[in-house]
Amino acid sequence: MSGSRFLFSNGILSHNLDAPPVKVFLETHPGAYTTSRTHNNALCLLFWQRHMRRLTESIQILSNLAPQLLFKSNNSAISLPSSATLPVWHPTVKMLVNDSMCKVLPTALKERSDCEELAITTLVSGNLEELNACETVSEERTRRILDVHVHIESYVPPTFGIGGNGAHLAVVGYGRHVAAAKYSDWVRIRKTLERLRPPSVTELLLSNNGDQILEGCVTNFFVVCCKDSDAGKALRDYGNKYSFEVRTAPISDGVLPGTIRQVVLEICRSEGIPFQEVAPSWSEHEIWEEAFITNSLRLLQHVDSIQVPTDWQSAHSKTWKDMSWTTKQFQGGPGIITTIIQEKIMEKAILEGYHIRNICAG
């Protein structure tokens, strides 16, 4: 792997050592962001149109509900408004992002290795000085109020279903604030959960009560539940569609409306796979036959194990070493429903692939 890293920010293109890791960059810059990646040997961007819509929605939500998470200022004397009421036009956001992508993407593509894809994080911050200078916010003014930063680094997607590629999860933290929007400050906030991460765990899950599981720190979480006493037979007999269902927490519970989460729900509808938007309950983990997590880099990853503190109330005053855990182990790699959904995601990825050449074409 080349390990290349690029950042286009404030009109300056930085490369490798001059470009910080994406987590470091997000920790130090407020704003709404989205992360996607290339596909098919870097010919296409995965679900790019969906990502641009979600980015626009996140900017609007933060502007209305939490402007402190969106706006930056170089002047400490300028106070943040309680609500910026900033109208956000999707075509404007898309144009600004494409303009910045055109400055960095050709160089990143030229330096990538054949085995690599590119992970692309787009951050949009609000410029408070520009906002305060506007009596009315027009579409043209919005272009000056919003600052776009593009971070690109090499990425090798894991192979689905290979032994050792399953996720190991632990429920450790409370749900996020303003979960409907994806914002960079969450990268800093979630660092406090790291002391609760057991060494083997690859993703941390969030819950407000230690039972209903909301989502992961960087993923959405799904389980496949058997409603039949003969659980194994029910899943082998995929035609018996009323014997199982897919569950994931609803947006109203305070989870991120992830791009791949929405794709999974669309697949369940189109394939006739029963599903409920209800938070998976740990008290019912005996009927969980499969579990998987989703995000825009991994797409879908099956789960090998989940562990939960035996004493949720005191867990947050301890470290992982001081806690006792109850563990759910899944056997045999990805299950049949997980595999079907993963295959359909890849089919949708091809159908909705956004060709790289379209970026600079507008």
Side-chain angles (χ1 to χ4, degrees):
M1 291 195 310
S2 65
S4 296
R5 194 164 61 223
F6 307 85
L7 173 66
F8 184 75
S9 180
N10 298 321
I12 298 172
L13 177 59
S14 303
H15 183 201
N16 283 350
L17 293 178
D18 293 326
V22 66
K23 287 184 181 179
V24 174
F25 176 70
L26 291 174
E27 284 175 21
T28 54
H29 289 76
Y33 80 100
T34 189
T35 297
S36 183
R37 67 171 173 87
T38 60
H39 176 58
N40 194 19
N41 203 27
L43 288 178
C44 296
L45 293 164
L46 279 174
F47 301 111
W48 186 248
Q49 302 281 41
R50 294 178 185 250
H51 280 285
M52 290 299 97
R53 286 194 294 271
R54 280 290 299 125
L55 181 61
T56 302
E57 291 166 5
S58 291
I59 296 167
Q60 189 72 76
I61 291 167
L62 294 179
S63 168
N64 293 337
L65 299 180
Q68 75 277 8
L69 299 175
L70 176 65
F71 284 91
K72 63 179 180 180
S73 174
N74 297 319
N75 185 345
S76 59
I78 299 178
S79 59
L80 279 165
S82 58
S83 174
T85 59
L86 176 67
V88 181
W89 289 270
H90 174 63
T92 300
V93 172
K94 184 179 176 182
M95 181 205 69
L96 291 171
V97 170
N98 284 356
D99 285 350
S100 293
M101 287 278 284
C102 285
K103 304 297 194 304
V104 59
L105 197 52
T107 303
L109 288 168
K110 187 182 299 184
E111 296 205 14
R112 60 173 283 277
S113 300
D114 285 341
C115 64
E116 296 174 340
E117 300 291 348
L118 299 175
I120 301 171
T121 298
T122 305
L123 173 75
V124 177
S125 298
N127 188 307
L128 196 55
E129 283 84 355
E130 289 288 349
L131 176 66
N132 286 343
C134 298
E135 292 185 9
T136 60
V137 180
S138 64
E139 187 168 0
E140 178 62 34
R141 282 285 190 177
T142 302
R143 298 177 188 181
R144 299 175 60 181
I145 292 170
L146 299 179
D147 294 331
V148 177
H149 315 266
V150 176
H151 188 285
I152 298 180
E153 58 189 356
S154 56
Y155 179 74
V156 178
T159 303
F160 177 78
I162 300 298
N165 275 2
H168 297 272
L169 315 179
V171 182
V172 300
Y174 294 110
R176 70 182 82 195
H177 175 56
V178 197
K182 191 168 185 175
Y183 54 90
S184 58
D185 200 46
W186 173 245
V187 178
R188 179 187 59 79
I189 294 169
R190 71 182 189 230
K191 288 176 68 176
T192 60
L193 300 176
E194 287 302 313
R195 63 186 176 81
L196 300 173
R197 180 197 292 268
S200 62
V201 165
T202 54
E203 168 67 323
L204 302 176
L205 297 177
L206 307 176
S207 173
N208 288 328
N209 59 11
D211 185 41
Q212 277 79 35
I213 299 176
L214 301 175
E215 60 183 340
C217 280
V218 295
T219 59
N220 287 107
F221 174 70
F222 297 78
V223 298
V224 179
C225 302
C226 277
K227 301 186 293 182
D228 191 296
S229 58
D230 190 352
K233 179 179 182 299
L235 280 178
R236 287 193 297 274
D237 179 13
Y238 176 56
N240 184 5
K241 292 185 178 180
Y242 297 101
S243 61
F244 65 90
E245 67 182 13
V246 175
R247 294 180 186 173
T248 192
I251 301 302
S252 58
D253 276 4
V255 302
L256 189 72
T259 296
I260 308 303
R261 176 189 183 277
Q262 181 58 37
V263 170
V264 170
L265 297 186
E266 291 172 11
I267 288 168
C268 287
R269 290 188 188 98
S270 65
E271 295 299 309
I273 297 173
F275 73 92
Q276 277 200 77
E277 291 187 77
V278 59
S281 177
W282 177 254
S283 59
E284 298 178 344
H285 70 268
E286 294 86 357
I287 66 170
W288 297 357
E289 287 297 311
E290 305 173 19
F292 59 91
I293 54 176
T294 61
N295 72 9
S296 292
L297 289 182
R298 307 176 201 184
L299 297 186
L300 182 149
Q301 183 180 23
H302 75 276
V303 172
D304 278 340
S305 67
I306 306 172
Q307 53 194 86
V308 173
T310 54
D311 182 4
W312 176 257
Q313 298 302 321
S314 64
H316 302 91
S317 62
K318 300 179 179 180
T319 65
W320 69 268
K321 292 182 292 186
D322 304 316
M323 297 158 58
S324 59
W325 301 85
T326 302
T327 301
K328 167 80 174 182
Q329 193 78 36
F330 297 91
Q331 302 296 328
I336 185 171
I337 305 303
T338 300
T339 301
I340 289 168
I341 292 173
Q342 191 271 343
E343 290 171 353
K344 296 300 179 181
I345 289 175
M346 297 312 298
E347 290 177 13
K348 268 187 172 285
I350 294 170
L351 287 173
E352 296 187 31
Y354 192 79
H355 203 285
I356 290 289
R357 63 171 175 261
N358 292 332
I359 292 293
C360 292

